[in-house]
Amino acid sequence: MANRLISEIGLPNSIANIFAARNIKTAKDALSLTEFELIELLDVGLAEVISALTYISEMVCPPFLTALMLLEQRVQKEHLAGHLPTRLMGLDKALCGGIPFGVVTELVGPAGVGKTQFCLKLALLASLPSSCGGLDGHVIYIDVES
């Protein structure tokens, strides 16, 4: 989105032409500069710069989502997904059934607390045949530290 051309965003021609004349071609180029740098470079007032930056931002940035909106989206899609039970009753209860499908789950903690062992256990549970209580799936395990 940031690589969208300013000429295609829909800015008024008077401002778009000034951006083009100063070799500011993409939204990224414009948004990478401070307001004061743009005032000097474009030779326009602060109001025009703020107006242009606001418009460019609105056109190229995705709409914001609050944590509540994300939770509501997840609840709406919950019936389509599922969970990988960890077989740890307290954790599964806290996670409403286990590790949710379709989302990135990050495990954090100090060295030696069992993060790697937990991930290996989840990989085993996911790859076990369904007759043994697994998901009969395939696993790719990526260790970014080693």
Side-chain angles (χ1 to χ4, degrees):
M1 290 293 236
N3 290 328
R4 283 184 64 185
L5 296 175
I6 288 183
S7 59
E8 297 174 358
I9 291 177
L11 274 174
N13 285 337
S14 58
I15 295 291
N17 291 337
I18 296 172
F19 275 98
R22 302 302 192 274
N23 204 28
I24 300 173
K25 296 179 180 173
T26 66
K28 181 179 179 181
D29 296 338
L31 296 173
S32 297
L33 299 170
T34 67
E35 293 167 344
F36 295 111
E37 289 172 330
L38 285 170
I39 289 171
E40 285 183 13
L41 189 63
L42 302 176
D43 196 27
V44 295
L46 180 61
E48 288 100 342
V49 167
I50 290 175
S51 175
L53 289 177
T54 301
Y55 186 79
I56 292 169
S57 296
E58 289 172 355
M59 297 308 294
V60 299
C61 295
F64 73 92
L65 294 172
T66 64
L68 178 60
M69 295 163 106
L70 291 172
L71 179 63
E72 289 171 346
Q73 285 178 1
R74 183 171 172 193
V75 168
Q76 289 173 353
K77 296 178 184 177
E78 188 70 27
H79 68 282
L80 300 174
H83 293 84
L84 171 61
T86 65
R87 310 289 162 93
L88 301 170
M89 289 185 353
L91 183 59
D92 285 344
K93 184 176 179 182
L95 295 174
C96 302
I99 305 293
F101 299 150
V103 298
V104 175
T105 303
E106 180 180 10
L107 299 175
V108 296
V113 297
K115 298 180 299 291
T116 300
Q117 290 300 315
F118 184 69
C119 288
L120 292 173
K121 178 183 177 177
L122 291 177
L124 173 68
L125 291 172
S127 61
L128 277 175
S130 49
S131 61
C132 297
L135 296 178
D136 199 26
H138 300 282
V139 175
I140 297 174
Y141 185 85
I142 301 171
D143 179 1
V144 297
E145 290 184 357
S146 310

